[in-house]
Amino acid sequence: GIEFIDSYVFNQAEYIRFNSTVGRFVGYTEHGVKNAEAWNSDAGILGQEQAELERVCKPNADIDYSTILDKT
């Protein structure tokens, strides 16, 4: 399967991440935890993140996979 991870970084430190396998945001700092709580309660934001898996990852997976195989 394909996993989509969307990390948000500030000053080179990751503070929040969306993981499509988990299906929600996880915060790594105080600010990130607060945002994760808010964003996880917003179906629209969660839906947008999940849609990226279908919109970006899956259509490009075969292309990326064949490119990797060609180089090995």
Side-chain angles (χ1 to χ4, degrees):
I2 298 172
E3 182 175 61
F4 171 68
I5 295 174
D6 192 5
S7 295
Y8 295 76
V9 177
F10 181 74
N11 284 346
Q12 300 181 341
E14 183 180 30
Y15 68 94
I16 191 170
R17 174 190 296 179
F18 176 84
N19 180 319
S20 66
T21 302
V22 179
R24 58 192 302 271
F25 290 92
V26 176
Y28 297 101
T29 64
E30 183 179 351
H31 180 68
V33 169
K34 288 180 182 177
N35 277 351
E37 289 174 2
W39 296 354
N40 285 332
S41 66
D42 187 323
I45 293 175
L46 288 176
Q48 286 176 338
E49 290 286 350
Q50 286 287 9
E52 290 299 288
L53 181 67
E54 302 294 331
R55 188 182 73 82
V56 177
C57 301
K58 290 184 178 178
N60 290 301
D62 290 337
I63 296 166
D64 294 340
Y65 188 64
S66 65
T67 300
I68 292 166
L69 289 180
D70 290 343
K71 294 186 189 306
T72 56

